[in-house]
Amino acid sequence: QQLFKRWGIGHKDRNDGLLILLVNDQHVVRLHTGYGLEGTLTDLICQRIEHEYMIPAFKEGRYDDGLLDGLNVISKLLSDPAYAQSFKPEKNEADVAWQIFRNIVAILGVIVILIAFAIKNLVGHFSATSAKGRHAPSELRWTRIQWLTAFGVIPAMIVVGYDNASVSSPILMCSAMLYGYFILITVWQAWRQQQAVNTLFAKNSSKKYTAINKLISSRQNFWIWMAVLFPLPFLFYYFYLSSRKTYYRNHPRNCPKCKAPMHKLSEQEEEVFQSQSQQMEETLHSVDYDVWQCGVCEAITSWAYPGNESKYEKCPQCKSLAYYEESNRTLVSPSYSMRGQGESVHACLFCGYQTTSTYSIAKLLDSSSSNSSSSSSSSGGSSWGGGSSGGGGASSSW
């Protein structure tokens, strides 16, 4: 498109230019049409010319013959209306749409998979010792090979290896196969999560109920997305998991000391047994505490659960989850020639500890150079015909 615009191929008023681009080492040929030729040389016709008249010769290394054969057909189409009327693409709309669909899915799939893999690798999804990965039970942790196979290799095999000749709606069928495959993967994830819950539940410890609750909470965002993407059956499964969180949090448990049954205290009753920092955290909703008391020895056990407010961090001084960004301001505004500077202030609402840090702000981007180059390109194009294109045409490879 940029080359077509730069050269200004075709008549300025009729826009009847045609660019034929042969990329030999990549085995790609493209017919790129001007606005005025899009009605005659449609995308389907361009693709048929490439596949039937040009690529067979290219495969044998006869590039001159392939180009001449394609140009002869184009010449007839443009000069003989009867021939153009009789020239019907052998491929139907569904075949071409399928090829476009497969190419788009393949390109977008590779981009998404690489970005997702890089992010997961960075946050320690595949490691048992990283800051975030260590909290994932072994039953839920993927190896790099497993993840790439499940989300890259197998979906690629479904798209690339799918035979569209035997069905009338290949795009619909392939989409259904991909959709069904990812449902199976998600069902497997649900099974793996249940295995992790069962492993924790089998432990002879009163801590297991809190651990199960935190495990389900850590996976809550994942299941929200699955409920959106796959409402059946995961919308119901999400509500089921939410009820199980409450079930395990309030599950009866025995005293760690005398093994007698314990009971959960109310919000008013538990304040007597909480420290001032814990009361502050509950006020800020950064942590929610449950206090259980033994009915025999009256021992007290406290369990911490993540609160609804996530902006707070652990204070470096008092360790309370009451440390947050109090202010963020620009000290020196950036310009086109120099960086700016900002200041961030963090403070703890419990102990009053405060830190101030500065950071650099990137220079403003000057777009004048790109504008000047683009204007010179267009002026060069207008000196050679002045034709323009909307990107019509087709590309094929062999």
Side-chain angles (χ1 to χ4, degrees):
Q1 176 69 9
Q2 293 175 359
L3 187 60
F4 197 109
K5 179 181 178 181
R6 180 174 180 178
W7 283 351
I9 301 174
H11 192 278
K12 184 176 182 180
D13 298 326
R14 297 191 301 268
N15 291 317
D16 53 0
L18 171 66
L19 171 64
I20 303 179
L21 180 65
L22 173 63
V23 188
N24 197 359
D25 59 338
Q26 297 183 21
H27 290 185
V28 175
V29 62
R30 174 164 184 82
L31 301 184
H32 201 80
T33 58
Y35 283 112
L37 287 187
E38 289 182 356
T40 305
L41 297 180
T42 65
D43 296 354
L44 297 178
I45 290 177
C46 288
Q47 191 169 68
R48 181 182 174 186
I49 293 172
E50 292 164 354
H51 279 271
E52 294 187 15
Y53 297 92
M54 305 176 78
I55 288 180
F58 293 161
K59 288 182 177 179
E60 299 175 359
R62 297 184 293 109
Y63 299 104
D64 292 349
D65 293 339
L67 287 171
L68 289 174
D69 291 343
L71 286 169
N72 286 331
V73 173
I74 293 170
S75 177
K76 291 181 181 180
L77 287 171
L78 299 180
S79 60
D80 188 348
Y83 181 78
Q85 184 65 29
S86 64
F87 195 87
K88 301 295 183 181
E90 184 176 314
K91 289 190 174 184
N92 56 36
E93 296 278 352
D95 291 331
V96 176
W98 160 249
Q99 294 295 332
I100 295 174
F101 169 82
R102 187 165 66 174
N103 293 338
I104 291 175
V105 170
I107 293 172
L108 291 181
V110 169
I111 295 173
V112 170
I113 290 299
L114 290 178
I115 293 175
F117 180 80
I119 293 174
K120 287 183 174 293
N121 192 58
L122 185 64
V123 301
H125 178 83
F126 307 109
S127 173
T129 58
S130 67
K132 295 184 179 179
R134 65 168 179 245
H135 298 296
S138 58
E139 293 88 345
L140 294 177
R141 198 177 303 123
W142 295 81
T143 66
R144 292 175 176 83
I145 297 299
Q146 287 175 336
W147 194 90
L148 287 173
T149 300
F151 296 98
V153 176
I154 296 179
M157 292 173 62
I158 292 175
V159 175
V160 176
Y162 182 74
D163 182 12
N164 67 312
S166 58
V167 295
S168 57
S169 301
I171 295 178
L172 181 62
M173 289 300 297
C174 186
S175 299
M177 290 175 65
L178 286 172
Y179 193 82
Y181 169 75
F182 284 113
I183 285 182
L184 290 177
I185 285 289
T186 311
V187 169
W188 185 47
Q189 283 289 82
W191 178 83
R192 296 175 75 203
Q193 180 169 312
Q194 188 58 47
Q195 292 300 107
V197 169
N198 293 341
T199 301
L200 291 171
F201 193 79
K203 293 182 177 180
N204 186 22
S205 171
S206 58
K207 297 179 180 180
K208 62 186 179 183
Y209 303 112
T210 303
I212 293 173
N213 182 279
K214 289 183 177 180
L215 170 63
I216 297 176
S217 297
S218 68
R219 304 282 294 168
Q220 192 162 353
N221 288 338
F222 171 80
W223 289 113
I224 289 176
W225 279 107
M226 294 305 101
V228 172
L229 296 175
F230 310 107
L232 290 176
F234 299 114
L235 181 60
F236 302 99
Y237 185 69
Y238 169 74
F239 289 114
Y240 165 77
L241 285 179
S242 298
S243 66
R244 297 306 286 176
K245 276 178 56 181
T246 304
Y247 169 78
Y248 285 114
R249 180 167 177 171
N250 298 321
H251 195 285
R253 59 200 69 186
N254 295 328
C255 176
K257 293 183 178 180
C258 66
K259 307 304 179 184
M262 306 182 75
H263 66 276
K264 183 180 177 182
L265 302 182
S266 66
E267 291 290 336
Q268 293 74 23
E269 293 173 331
E270 68 183 17
E271 289 184 1
V272 179
F273 304 98
Q274 289 178 337
S275 66
Q276 292 183 347
S277 64
Q278 289 176 334
Q279 293 180 24
M280 171 64 78
E281 289 172 333
E282 283 212 328
T283 302
L284 298 175
H285 302 291
S286 60
V287 184
D288 190 13
Y289 290 96
D290 284 351
V291 179
W292 292 69
Q293 186 176 36
C294 178
V296 176
C297 70
E298 297 187 348
I300 295 295
T301 305
S302 179
W303 308 100
Y305 298 90
N308 297 326
E309 184 58 68
S310 59
K311 72 176 182 178
Y312 296 100
E313 302 175 4
K314 183 177 290 187
C315 175
Q317 182 164 289
C318 68
K319 309 304 179 186
S320 300
L321 209 64
Y323 189 67
Y324 77 111
E325 185 178 60
E326 186 179 51
S327 65
N328 193 323
R329 64 193 183 101
T330 300
L331 299 177
V332 179
S333 298
S335 66
Y336 292 107
S337 59
M338 62 177 293
R339 292 176 175 269
Q341 189 178 52
E343 179 187 75
S344 175
V345 178
H346 285 72
C348 178
L349 291 175
F350 177 68
C351 69
Y353 177 76
Q354 189 177 82
T355 58
T356 302
S357 60
T358 58
Y359 57 90
S360 177
I361 304 176
K363 293 189 295 185
L364 299 178
L365 179 63
D366 186 0
S367 58
S368 59
S369 59
S370 60
N371 291 336
S372 63
S373 65
S374 114
S375 64
S376 65
S377 296
S378 62
S379 64
S382 62
S383 65
W384 183 10
S388 59
S389 168
S395 298
S396 301
S397 58
W398 69 94

